[in-house]
Amino acid sequence: MIFDNNGRERFLEAVTDFEAAVRERDVDRSERAFGELYRHFGDAGEREVGRAAPLLAALLPEVPPGPRGTVAVLVGACVERGADAGPCAPHVFAELAETLAAAGEFCERWEETGGGDFPDPEDGAPDPALFDRVGAEPALAWMTLPQFEMASVAMLNHAGVRGALDSALRNRLLRATRTVEEASGHPFKCLTYALLVLDEPLIVLHRPTGTGYAMRMRGIGDNFQLHTLVADVLVGGGHIPGRAPSAQEAAVCRDQPGQVHTTGSFNLVAPTGEWVWNEGTPSDIPVVDGVRLLVLDPPAYERSWPSGRFFPNMTGDLVLERVLAPEEAGRLLAGCVTKDG
């Protein structure tokens, strides 16, 4: 439903009312409008969420820390419903950076005040004693970090957002996320993997045939997905022998929903001889002469898994750009260590 029976866009009205109340620091009106946001979101049309999302994203710094994460999730939900992620993402990432910094402070204060098992940030309403122990701002940052993870992943599902994200900011967010993970023992794997998604060239060398291929990857969330797509392009394309994935196995790794059981075709190996595990991400593949270089060996043993996308809302692809000349492939392979050392 785009309009109600009176032709009014109720969700957008709630957003503008919430925006005005927050900017005027009207607590009662803000709470009422906040409730209206959720009441009308489900019936909002694409045009309506498209207009509302950047308003909510720009408002994030002024929303109190408690509901700020919830509003960020709502921005992400608008993007998933068709709103443009581009103008929303910088605001979400700025708040993510602040939240990660405060969550890092939470981890430090938790250890300073006796340590122990960290509270689950997704475990509903926190114990009031938590605020007394570490302070309100760090506690709220810890409890809302999963919400900012959700919102940030919704932004990073879009290639345009990933391409526009400054590399220094990306690295800062990754370092901060890993610091919090290491200190707390709580994984934020979706956020880490989303920040690690690469949209860049990849050289693939097939050691048994001595051939090489210049490829470009986009939106690949983990090496299970990469493995299936490499097999689809190279084996399915008739370039090298082996088991080719079915059309459906490849499709779910690109843009189709669901998962399909598949069997691995290779052993993924770094130029230095170490295995590149399917459980990792393409960022694990070393860079050689400015481009990531992956070697394919025969599988050491049969591996199978449900093929699909780590990020169901992220379109993935792997494109063959050119077949390397034999001398170029031979030169690159000559510099690679075999699996036996």
Side-chain angles (χ1 to χ4, degrees):
M1 179 187 296
I2 299 177
F3 303 103
D4 67 10
N5 291 334
N6 297 315
R8 297 170 62 182
E9 295 178 313
R10 295 287 190 178
F11 176 64
L12 186 58
E13 287 182 5
V15 168
T16 54
D17 190 32
F18 180 67
E19 178 187 28
V22 168
R23 296 192 188 283
E24 294 168 9
R25 305 292 191 268
D26 188 330
V27 175
D28 291 339
R29 183 182 171 193
S30 295
E31 291 179 352
R32 288 195 299 271
F34 189 74
E36 291 295 293
L37 292 178
Y38 279 88
R39 179 183 174 192
H40 296 294
F41 175 72
D43 291 328
E46 185 173 333
R47 174 178 174 273
E48 196 174 357
V49 297
R51 293 171 61 191
L55 297 176
L56 287 171
L59 188 63
L60 282 171
E62 298 190 47
V63 176
R68 188 180 298 155
T70 307
V71 175
V73 170
L74 189 56
V75 173
C78 287
V79 166
E80 290 176 349
R81 296 254 310 258
D84 185 358
C88 301
H91 300 290
V92 172
F93 294 148
E95 295 306 315
L96 171 64
E98 294 293 330
T99 303
L100 283 167
E105 184 179 352
F106 171 88
C107 295
E108 293 176 0
R109 293 189 181 181
W110 185 261
E111 291 301 325
E112 291 170 356
T113 55
D117 292 338
F118 278 71
D120 187 343
E122 300 179 79
D123 198 22
D127 186 335
L130 182 66
F131 294 86
D132 295 332
R133 176 171 171 174
V134 300
E137 183 178 351
L140 286 170
W142 174 252
M143 299 305 297
T144 60
L145 186 51
Q147 295 174 308
F148 280 101
E149 178 180 38
M150 292 173 59
S152 298
V153 170
M155 304 299 120
L156 290 164
N157 279 332
H158 295 266
V161 169
R162 297 194 301 273
L165 181 58
D166 178 72
S167 59
L169 175 58
R170 182 194 302 269
N171 291 335
R172 181 158 62 93
L173 293 173
L174 271 170
R175 287 194 300 269
T177 302
R178 285 167 169 159
T179 296
V180 170
E181 287 182 318
E182 291 170 4
S184 67
H186 186 93
F188 294 94
K189 185 175 180 178
C190 288
L191 178 56
T192 300
Y193 271 37
L195 289 167
L196 288 172
V197 169
L198 304 174
D199 301 299
E200 63 179 47
L202 172 70
I203 297 292
V204 177
L205 303 175
H206 185 242
R207 195 172 347 237
T209 60
T211 55
Y213 308 88
M215 314 182 86
R216 181 167 290 273
M217 52 186 169
R218 179 174 64 86
I220 297 177
D222 63 18
N223 291 333
F224 287 111
Q225 183 183 4
L226 176 66
H227 191 141
T228 304
L229 290 177
V230 169
D232 177 59
V233 173
L234 296 185
V235 181
H239 297 280
I240 59 176
R243 178 194 178 277
S246 69
Q248 188 61 21
E249 288 169 37
V252 295
C253 289
R254 288 190 169 92
D255 57 9
Q256 294 303 300
Q259 295 181 323
V260 180
H261 187 82
T262 192
T263 300
S265 305
F266 324 104
N267 206 34
L268 307 183
V269 182
T272 50
E274 291 85 6
W275 289 10
V276 177
W277 296 99
N278 283 339
E279 291 80 2
T281 73
S283 66
D284 298 331
I285 301 169
V287 175
V288 177
D289 295 333
V291 63
R292 296 187 189 274
L293 183 62
L294 178 67
V295 180
L296 307 180
D297 279 334
Y301 52 87
E302 184 175 289
R303 299 181 180 92
S304 62
W305 60 87
S307 65
R309 303 193 301 284
F310 185 86
F311 298 106
N313 293 322
M314 184 183 296
T315 298
D317 205 3
L318 184 70
V319 177
L320 175 62
E321 296 189 326
R322 66 182 179 91
V323 178
L324 301 188
E327 57 272 18
E328 183 181 3
R331 176 181 60 80
L332 289 171
L333 275 168
C336 297
V337 177
T338 67
K339 64 180 179 179
D340 296 321

